[in-house]
Amino acid sequence: MTLTAPSPYRVDAAGYYGTFGGAYVPEMLYPNVEELRDNYLRIIEEPGFQREFTQLLTDYVGRPTPLFLAERLSAHIGTTIYLKREDLCHTGAHKINNTIGQILVAKRLGKRRIVAETGAGQHGVATATVCALMGLECIVYMGAVDIERQRPNVDRMRMLGAQVVPARSGSQTLKDATNEAMRHWISNPTDTHYIIGSVVGPHPYPDMVSRFQSVISAEIIRQLLHQTGRATPDFVLACVGGGSNAAGAFYHYLDEPSVRLIAAEAAGQGVDTGHSAATTALGKPGILHGASTILMQTEDGQVTEPYSISAGLDYPGIGPQHAQLFATGRAEFMSITDKAALDAAFQLSRLEGIIPALETAHALACLPLIGAKKDDVVVVCLSGRGDKDLATYTKHLEEYS
Amino acid sequence: MNRLTNLFQHKTADVLNVYFTAGFPQLNDTVPVLRALQEAGADLVEIGMPYSDPVADGETIQRSNQQALENGMTVGKLFEQLQDIRQQGITVPILLMGYLNPVVQFGVEKFCQHCQAVGIDGVILPDLPLEVYEREYRPLFAEYGLKVVFLVTPQTSAARVRQLDALADGFIYLVAAAGTTGAQTDMNADVDAYLSRTKELGLRNPTLVGFGISDAASFAAASRHTTGAIIGSAFIRLLQQTPAGERTAAIHDFVAGIRPVLA
Ligand SMILES: Cc1ncc(COP(=O)(O)O)c(C=O)c1O
């Protein structure tokens, strides 16, 4: 895929995707962000880095993850569905692709402590895991509400030796955990690296994280070619909280217009109910967590408290690259309710023997809505497994018995 | 002349800037608090426009922001409250401080127009990137007579301090130590070294030190190498703790207590 003109969907030299992106950070964070911006490409392009990154993804994470032809689900929906099994990554989600990459960057920058935010706890667990692996101190901020609904992951982080700090401001979910992690970084500017868990935050985070997650679509290309004789599917589906699994699944297809990119957002109880996290449906351009992007906000520019059954999608913004994909129409954004996500989770469990994460279930719920024909090849990024969501699923078991 | 510029022409030491959040503790307290601060002798007042996600602020100011938002404070409402303060004897220089998103949603040019109309002298927008300011907003702010303040921290390189100083025209806000507002900064040797190092750069703008300044001792230590200091969280705590009826007197005592020699 060689390109003559710069892609409108990739970051430009100034750190923007069209009008989105940039680094809207207070001066206290400027040196940290500048250090990262000036070094990340050099570091991740070093052969030694690439070797270590690839080796850890192989031997520790368990990559490549399989691309699985889901025959019963395909028959049920009436198209040809492949599942990219990120749920089989060590720690149970795609999040670890990014944390492996970032911890290697942090080490090369001489950092001794890691701070992170987490929603569902998957990114927190993936961060605590790589910190244990590398022997770095780990502090994870998590909304007090999320601590309650994602208990197993809190215990896993503690088992791994991380300190989990409840974020008690605002809605006490992912947005507030992110604020607290940023404040921690402000207070510890020289020895701490902030491992952001998605393609959000100031430049260069969105670009750096999407590069680490791009392994997802790099593998899809190889595996699809091997299994079907074609490298490009007709559709790629992924859920979007901040958008890192989607960014990775879309990465190598961004400039392939024949591939329809579908992003699933959490509609919560319904887009118009006031209890939703469907950012593109409800948001408008603004600034959140250091980036110009699309976010849910009041008329006065106050960030709205989102709602979703899924802690990992319970975020009022999306990464700046996704804002650009939305604004240009390159990706189609769909709003999926709690109920539709639950239906899809139970459906996958019973048809394929795979219990997906609640986040992932939002992507699966798009399958009947995209108008895929029988012979169309549809790849769903199965971003994570549902172990952490069992308490929620158990509450609904009766409805699906 | 711009009141801020005028202030620094006449006063080059021990300048006291007090921060408070608009619409706090009660929605309509903005102007009474402002008036009490002027009468108590504050040289400069910084009014915070509350925001839902103030990442550079510690707990005290976060809570005051949340309270102010719950009270119904907005950028538009603030301009209504400030509408004729300059006709009603408020002469103290005023800065508006706030995060960029509410200002962008209000409309940056409209914001500047309103600032000029009510008599605002300058702005502090901590998450406005320098290059975005230079490229998009600088001519606007100049057109409406708004002075701009930039922050500098102990981690800011000398080259960048010069860059910020070249673009600022209000003052340089020296953040005393790495941290959010309200952090306990003891004015130790490190802080002193940073402040005297900054002084030696010979900046064209006046410098005020903020973050963790709470009393006469920290004010005096901070002002040793600079034009003065900024008090925020300690003042917010005072507003929180003082019954409405005793507020004016408490503000008077607070300001007098910061600069006992001058009072
Ligand atoms: C399994 C899973 N999928 C998706 C997400 C959403 O994150 P992103 O949009 O960055 O992929 C999360 C976040 O916690 C997750 O745990």
Side-chain angles (χ1 to χ4, degrees):
Chain A
M1 261 175 261
T2 39
L3 286 164
T4 41
S7 166
Y9 314 120
R10 294 184 200 274
V11 78
D12 67 20
Y16 284 84
Y17 303 81
T19 59
F20 302 109
Y24 292 76
V25 294
E27 193 60 31
M28 293 82 109
L29 282 179
Y30 187 84
N32 311 36
V33 170
E34 181 188 39
E35 179 185 35
L36 206 56
R37 185 195 69 201
D38 292 348
N39 291 291
Y40 83 110
L41 286 179
R42 176 184 61 74
I43 291 175
I44 68 183
E45 280 163 8
E46 278 166 13
F49 179 97
Q50 279 300 324
R51 215 175 307 120
E52 199 176 350
F53 182 54
T54 309
Q55 177 127 35
L56 283 169
L57 288 186
T58 308
D59 299 339
Y60 189 70
V61 175
R63 304 206 71 93
T65 58
L67 185 71
F68 173 66
L69 173 60
E71 292 191 23
R72 295 208 331 127
L73 182 66
S74 295
H76 197 87
I77 305 279
T79 184
T80 308
I81 300 165
Y82 287 86
L83 303 176
K84 180 58 176 161
R85 298 290 309 274
E86 294 302 299
D87 61 315
L88 294 178
C89 288
H90 178 40
T91 69
H94 67 291
K95 295 283 181 186
I96 197 163
N97 303 327
N98 169 43
T99 61
I100 294 267
Q102 285 205 49
I103 198 112
L104 295 179
V105 170
K107 268 185 32 176
R108 281 160 175 77
L109 290 173
K111 306 295 177 182
R112 292 199 311 275
R113 188 192 298 122
I114 296 297
V115 62
E117 84 297 336
T118 196
Q122 285 304 120
H123 173 61
V125 167
T127 304
T129 298
V130 297
C131 286
L133 179 68
M134 297 293 169
L136 296 189
E137 186 187 343
C138 181
I139 300 163
V140 180
Y141 287 91
M142 187 168 186
V145 168
D146 292 338
I147 286 184
E148 284 315 308
R149 62 177 161 172
Q150 307 273 243
R151 253 302 147 192
N153 275 343
V154 177
D155 295 337
R156 287 166 84 199
M157 286 185 267
R158 295 209 171 111
M159 173 105 193
L160 291 159
Q163 187 192 341
V164 181
V165 186
R168 299 196 186 282
S169 54
S171 54
Q172 310 191 17
T173 61
L174 183 51
K175 154 177 101 77
D176 313 286
T178 307
N179 291 339
E180 290 304 326
M182 285 188 156
R183 288 184 186 116
H184 185 101
W185 204 26
I186 285 173
S187 304
N188 299 273
T190 47
D191 62 350
T192 302
H193 174 70
Y194 176 22
I195 300 192
I196 288 188
S198 191
V199 285
V200 301
H203 175 68
Y205 276 107
D207 184 50
M208 181 171 67
V209 176
S210 72
R211 282 168 189 262
F212 292 144
Q213 293 293 359
S214 70
V215 64
I216 299 174
S217 51
E219 288 177 5
I220 295 173
I221 289 175
R222 282 203 309 276
Q223 292 167 321
L224 206 59
L225 192 62
H226 182 71
Q227 293 181 39
T228 68
R230 48 186 283 198
T232 54
D234 297 291
F235 297 86
V236 179
L237 274 60
C239 65
V240 171
S244 67
N245 85 90
F250 295 170
Y251 195 90
H252 292 286
Y253 296 122
L254 288 171
D255 302 302
E256 295 276 347
S258 69
V259 182
R260 281 176 62 186
L261 307 176
I262 312 285
E265 292 184 318
Q269 295 173 6
V271 169
D272 298 320
T273 61
H275 302 278
S276 177
T279 301
T280 61
L282 295 168
K284 55 184 184 211
I287 294 141
L288 178 66
H289 293 143
S292 159
T293 187
I294 295 172
L295 63 136
M296 291 166 51
Q297 52 185 314
T298 65
E299 228 174 274
D300 308 310
Q302 307 297 339
V303 184
T304 310
E305 299 187 353
Y307 164 80
S308 166
I309 191 173
S310 141
L313 304 184
D314 203 349
Y315 185 70
I318 49 173
Q321 184 182 39
H322 290 295
Q324 172 75 346
L325 295 178
F326 174 74
T328 56
R330 176 65 189 94
E332 299 157 58
F333 284 70
M334 295 188 163
S335 309
I336 302 297
T337 60
D338 290 355
K339 175 77 173 66
L342 281 170
D343 289 349
F346 276 87
Q347 182 183 54
L348 187 75
S349 302
R350 302 214 168 147
L351 287 176
E352 300 290 349
I354 298 171
I355 302 174
L358 265 169
E359 291 77 16
T360 314
H362 288 73
L364 293 163
C366 294
L367 281 167
L369 310 175
I370 56 176
K373 293 189 284 294
K374 187 163 182 312
D375 294 329
D376 284 346
V377 171
V378 181
V379 174
V380 182
C381 184
L382 210 76
S383 59
R385 59 179 176 244
D387 309 30
K388 69 183 175 60
D389 298 309
L390 265 190
T392 307
Y393 288 149
T394 307
K395 277 190 219 148
H396 295 274
L397 263 177
E398 297 280 286
E399 296 156 40
Y400 295 93
S401 56
Chain B
M1 187 195 288
N2 181 289
R3 292 171 203 85
L4 196 62
T5 312
N6 189 43
L7 166 70
F8 289 119
Q9 273 182 9
H10 292 95
K11 193 159 182 185
T12 52
D14 292 316
V15 167
L16 173 62
N17 177 1
V18 180
Y19 165 94
F20 73 98
T21 307
F24 177 82
Q26 303 288 324
L27 182 61
N28 291 317
D29 285 338
T30 314
V31 176
V33 171
L34 175 63
R35 188 176 298 280
L37 277 169
Q38 167 171 307
E39 282 163 8
D43 297 304
L44 172 60
V45 175
E46 189 183 322
I47 303 180
M49 299 176 283
Y51 183 48
S52 54
D53 295 78
V55 286
D57 286 296
E59 244 181 84
T60 302
I61 292 182
Q62 278 174 47
R63 284 219 208 92
S64 72
N65 275 237
Q66 211 164 340
Q67 181 66 54
L69 291 174
E70 279 162 25
N71 292 344
M73 183 44 76
T74 64
V75 174
K77 184 87 208 165
L78 176 59
F79 284 126
E80 271 171 41
Q81 291 180 342
L82 298 179
Q83 201 163 23
D84 40 31
I85 48 168
R86 296 304 185 191
Q87 289 76 49
Q88 312 222 340
I90 299 288
T91 54
V92 69
I94 302 173
L95 294 163
L96 293 189
M97 181 274 172
Y99 293 81
L100 194 52
N101 197 50
V103 174
V104 167
Q105 302 308 326
F106 188 80
V108 177
E109 176 144 26
K110 184 174 151 202
F111 175 81
C112 293
Q113 283 166 350
H114 280 70
C115 280
Q116 186 179 51
V118 305
I120 299 299
D121 303 291
V123 292
I124 307 179
L125 300 167
D127 57 348
L128 169 62
L130 196 61
E131 65 283 359
V132 174
Y133 167 67
E134 203 174 355
R135 191 177 61 227
E136 293 176 29
Y137 299 151
R138 195 180 183 196
L140 265 185
F141 289 7
E143 182 184 341
Y144 293 99
L146 286 174
K147 300 295 170 192
V148 175
V149 172
F150 288 118
L151 274 60
V152 157
T153 82
Q155 278 72 39
T156 312
S157 68
R160 179 147 171 103
V161 175
R162 290 191 196 287
Q163 217 183 343
L164 292 160
D165 184 48
L167 286 176
D169 52 8
F171 58 88
I172 291 290
Y173 190 136
L174 297 175
V175 176
T180 50
T181 53
Q184 278 307 319
T185 313
D186 50 341
M187 288 294 147
N188 58 27
D190 286 353
V191 180
D192 197 71
Y194 150 64
L195 297 180
S196 75
R197 185 172 79 229
T198 307
K199 183 179 188 177
E200 273 152 31
L201 292 175
L203 303 184
R204 61 183 203 113
N205 282 288
T207 51
L208 298 182
V209 190
F211 286 38
I213 315 296
S214 59
D215 54 15
S218 48
F219 181 84
S223 307
R224 231 160 64 84
H225 303 294
T226 65
T227 319
I230 305 163
I231 296 190
S233 300
F235 185 69
I236 296 291
R237 278 194 294 273
L238 177 86
L239 293 181
Q240 247 159 12
Q241 289 158 6
T242 313
E246 297 161 27
R247 187 183 301 138
T248 305
I251 291 175
H252 187 273
D253 292 349
F254 181 88
V255 172
I258 298 297
R259 291 182 298 187
V261 213
L262 302 174

